[in-house]
Amino acid sequence: MIAIVFSYEARDDEEFERAYGAEGEWAEFFLGAAGYVGTEVLRDLEMPGRYLVIDRWESPEAYNTFISEHQAEYVERSDDARVYYDHELRFGTFENVLGRRT
């Protein structure tokens, strides 16, 4: 399983959470995609308006296949979503190493 992690500085917490939350616009877009596991949103308690958004996928291939098949809509949604935040930073794609055998 992989986690794609983003950091955001939201303009309005309520609107941001509505769009990016586990049942928000982005999660609905991913819902039903082969390999999509879910979305987690974490609100920073020390810096108001800062969030981490973690999209979980079964594999990099599942995510990349979805993005390539829905590229135009993904770009359009990304452009439209800029109204919800002042700053976005993609930290990267991560995998859980706990319990992983070498």
Side-chain angles (χ1 to χ4, degrees), residues 6-42:
F6 295 86
S7 173
Y8 293 93
E9 292 176 16
R11 291 187 176 144
D12 177 280
D13 288 358
E14 188 175 312
E15 289 295 312
F16 182 85
E17 291 175 22
R18 184 185 58 75
Y20 283 85
E23 297 177 7
E25 297 167 14
W26 278 101
E28 285 182 16
F29 176 53
F30 296 140
L31 194 62
Y36 175 67
V37 176
T39 296
E40 181 178 7
V41 177
L42 304 173

Side-chain angles (χ1 to χ4, degrees), residues 73-86:
E73 185 176 357
Y74 184 90
V75 169
E76 183 178 336
R77 285 175 174 270
S78 292
D79 289 343
D80 292 346
R82 291 183 182 168
V83 300
Y84 299 119
Y85 59 85
D86 291 320

Side-chain angles (χ1 to χ4, degrees), residues 34-80:
Y36 175 67
V37 176
T39 296
E40 181 178 7
V41 177
L42 304 173
R43 180 180 30 220
D44 192 325
L45 297 176
E46 296 173 358
M47 288 187 65
R50 188 167 82 162
Y51 289 85
L52 289 182
V53 174
I54 304 166
D55 296 320
R56 298 188 196 288
W57 292 79
E58 290 177 1
S59 68
E61 295 79 20
Y63 173 75
N64 291 332
T65 296
F66 177 83
I67 295 303
S68 68
E69 291 175 354
H70 299 89
Q71 185 174 13
E73 185 176 357
Y74 184 90
V75 169
E76 183 178 336
R77 285 175 174 270
S78 292
D79 289 343
D80 292 346

